[in-house]
Amino acid sequence: MQDVRVINTGQLLDLQRKLRAAGHENIRSSMQRRIRRAAEPLKNDLQSAIRGLPISSPGGRGRGGGRSPTSRPLRSTIAGQIRITVRNTGNPGARVFVDKGALPPDLRNMPHVINTGRIRHPVYGNRRRWVTQTAPPLWWDKTVRAHAPRMERDVRRVVDDVRQKLN
C-alpha cells in the first residue's frame, strides 16, 4: 500500500516561485484549499471502502465473530486516521495517507496487512492460537486508481487557473 501523491513537481515548483515573488498570499491559500478539495472525495471513498470491507474466515469455520476484546472497532479506527496534507513549498502537492502514528501500536501495520487480503492474527490475543482471515485485496489501491484521473484533472485545472491569475 502506498501513499497517494498528486504532484507535478516541475509545474508546481515554478508556480510556487512565481507566487512567492509576486507576494500573492491569498492566491496561494486559495490554491491550497482547492487542491485539498480535489483530494477530499478520495479520502471519503477510502474511508467508506475500509468501513464496508468484508473480513471473513475461510470456509466459514469457527463460531463467528462475537464482541471485540478491545473497545475499538478495527475498520472504523483505520478509517478515522486517513488524512490529507497539502504542501506549497519543498515538494508541493497533495498527499492522502493513513496516519500510522495516530493508530494504536498494535494496529499500525494493519492498513497494509488488510490491503494484502490476508490477515493473520492471534485469537483474542492468545498467542498460541492463530487464525487467518481474508478480505478483498487491494482496497486502497483500487480506490486510488479509480480517483487518480479525476484528481490529476482537478489539480491541473487549479494550476492553470493560478497561472492565468498571475499573468
Side-chain angles (χ1 to χ4, degrees), residues 95-153:
R95 181 175 169 229
V96 180
F97 63 102
V98 176
D99 186 359
K100 292 180 183 180
L103 287 172
D106 58 332
L107 296 182
R108 290 202 174 131
N109 198 34
M110 198 52 78
H112 172 72
V113 170
I114 292 175
N115 197 48
T116 66
R118 186 172 180 267
I119 308 151
R120 183 165 164 74
H121 63 91
V123 178
Y124 293 114
N126 180 351
R127 303 288 237 174
R128 286 185 256 152
R129 287 195 61 208
W130 288 72
V131 66
T132 301
Q133 293 181 294
T134 58
L138 304 176
W139 67 275
W140 180 273
D141 300 6
K142 289 176 182 175
T143 307
V144 169
R145 254 184 264 131
H147 281 268
R150 179 199 52 80
M151 288 177 58
E152 288 170 6
R153 275 191 317 272

Side-chain angles (χ1 to χ4, degrees), residues 42-126:
L42 172 60
K43 175 189 171 191
N44 295 338
D45 277 1
L46 285 167
Q47 288 175 328
S48 295
I50 189 66
R51 283 189 177 113
L53 196 69
I55 297 176
S56 60
S57 297
R61 294 187 308 248
R63 293 189 312 256
R67 292 191 49 82
S68 171
T70 65
S71 61
R72 57 178 197 270
L74 172 66
R75 290 168 280 204
S76 291
T77 302
I78 293 170
Q81 300 311 321
I82 296 176
R83 306 268 191 256
I84 300 173
T85 59
V86 178
R87 292 183 56 170
N88 282 334
T89 58
N91 187 13
R95 181 175 169 229
V96 180
F97 63 102
V98 176
D99 186 359
K100 292 180 183 180
L103 287 172
D106 58 332
L107 296 182
R108 290 202 174 131
N109 198 34
M110 198 52 78
H112 172 72
V113 170
I114 292 175
N115 197 48
T116 66
R118 186 172 180 267
I119 308 151
R120 183 165 164 74
H121 63 91
V123 178
Y124 293 114
N126 180 351

